[in-house]
Amino acid sequence: MSVEKVSLRSDGCSTDHTANDRIAAVTRSVRRIREHIGDAHSLPNLAQSALLSPFHFHRVFRQLTGSTPARFVAASRMAEAKRLLAYTSMNVTDICMDVGYSSLGTFTTQFTRLVGVSPRRFRQLIALFADQSFNDILAQLRPVLPEPTHVQVTGSVTGGPGSNAMAVVGLFQSGIPQERPMACAILSVPGVAAFGHLMDGDYHPLAMSCHPSVTVVEAMVREDPDGCFVSASSGQVRISNGRSVSGTSFSALLRTRQPIDPPLVLALPLLLAAEIVCSSGQASRR
């Protein structure tokens, strides 16, 4: 194993600003978060693990991950809670404590807001769709999603697992795929997604695609599943007065997940699939 050489100031913080050293610094802090998920992660402590000053660490972390350290910690806790709900029989209270929350009410509210459903409902949905192909779920959902009547911006998606792959693309209000996106689309890769009916604001395009062999539970829960690809567009989508002012299109190249990528928090494909199942059941009873 190679040893990283980092120049330190008298306070123990790094003075080396090369790209590789910045990535290594953020990787150290992300490893600390994930290995000690239930701990209180203050900015100074995370900066210390990265060997950077708190101010420089916050700026570098946000540049590389698209998220603030605090949001990354919250997302990592939700990702671990999802894993425990999917792979263990632990009750929700124990999971709440295990991922660093002292209040069950706060944990449940946060989980529901970021993931899209309550912890118990998430466990039910994972059990319902777990072994199905993530790619097949997207293929079934694609014809059901409504096409925008007024297109404001389009996104070109390339890369990923190859032929016969589907991708889901969302426009999020932060660089973490959490909370429901302002708009989403499902497409074959390579392909172009169209978005409309967007309110004024700034949006982060985030995309995900999986090899057909990847199951729903692997795609939605595991942090480093083989065959899963993600993409964050290099720029934001800005809508002003109902029109895009950042260009009418963006591009996203799907690549394998990296250790510093923010966790996938939102269970969007599960939510859409559940809504379709529910609507189909209601229609059949009429």
Side-chain angles (χ1 to χ4, degrees):
M1 180 181 296
S2 62
V3 178
E4 297 170 7
K5 295 181 179 179
V6 181
S7 301
L8 300 179
R9 302 190 320 215
S10 59
D11 60 1
C13 296
S14 171
T15 60
D16 197 331
H17 301 295
T18 66
N20 286 340
D21 286 330
R22 289 196 295 269
I23 293 172
V26 172
T27 299
R28 286 192 294 271
S29 66
V30 168
R31 186 183 304 121
R32 177 189 176 100
I33 292 169
R34 288 173 174 160
E35 291 179 353
H36 305 279
I37 196 67
D39 291 357
H41 295 287
S42 67
L43 180 62
N45 286 342
L46 290 176
Q48 184 179 37
S49 68
L51 302 179
L52 297 172
S53 69
F55 174 80
H56 187 49
F57 168 73
H58 190 279
R59 182 167 60 86
V60 169
F61 191 98
R62 188 163 192 171
Q63 286 176 344
L64 292 183
T65 68
S67 165
T68 64
R71 285 184 174 179
F72 197 101
V73 169
S76 297
R77 287 174 171 168
M78 293 300 107
E80 175 63 6
K82 287 169 58 183
R83 188 189 70 81
L84 294 173
L85 287 165
Y87 288 117
T88 77
S89 58
M90 290 174 62
N91 63 52
V92 175
T93 300
D94 288 341
I95 291 174
C96 159
M97 302 300 176
D98 201 65
V99 299
Y101 285 84
S102 58
S103 166
L104 179 60
T106 300
F107 166 73
T108 301
T109 299
Q110 183 83 329
F111 188 99
T112 303
R113 181 175 68 87
L114 298 181
V115 180
V117 288
S118 70
R120 289 183 174 83
R121 181 56 176 160
F122 176 80
R123 179 170 265 166
Q124 292 171 349
L125 292 177
I126 279 291
L128 183 62
F129 297 104
D131 296 329
Q132 296 188 39
S133 164
F134 182 80
N135 197 71
D136 288 350
I137 289 289
L138 294 186
Q140 294 171 32
L141 292 173
R142 183 184 184 185
V144 181
L145 287 182
E147 294 287 338
T149 55
H150 172 62
V151 176
Q152 293 162 293
V153 64
T154 60
S156 173
V157 182
T158 57
S163 60
N164 301 319
M166 308 292 295
V168 56
V169 189
L171 300 183
F172 292 85
Q173 293 183 312
S174 76
I176 298 180
Q178 62 186 17
E179 303 186 65
R180 281 187 178 256
M182 295 304 296
C184 68
I186 294 173
L187 66 153
S188 298
V189 183
V192 176
F195 301 94
H197 314 292
L198 296 168
M199 299 176 61
D200 287 359
D202 294 334
Y203 304 101
H204 299 257
L206 303 172
M208 179 180 182
S209 180
C210 293
H211 187 274
S213 64
V214 175
T215 65
V216 168
V217 70
E218 290 171 338
M220 292 285 94
V221 176
R222 290 180 54 186
E223 279 301 304
D224 56 349
D226 293 333
C228 279
F229 299 78
V230 296
S231 173
S233 176
S234 57
Q236 295 183 18
V237 172
R238 173 166 293 178
I239 303 296
S240 179
N241 295 321
R243 302 181 64 182
S244 173
V245 296
S246 54
T248 57
S249 64
F250 63 87
S251 60
L253 176 64
L254 291 161
R255 54 164 175 77
T256 56
R257 285 186 57 83
Q258 304 299 312
I260 63 174
D261 284 329
L264 173 66
V265 180
L266 178 68
L268 180 61
L270 283 180
L271 306 184
L272 295 174
E275 289 171 359
I276 291 172
V277 169
C278 290
S279 61
S280 298
Q282 291 173 355
S284 64
R285 288 194 294 269
R286 291 174 183 170

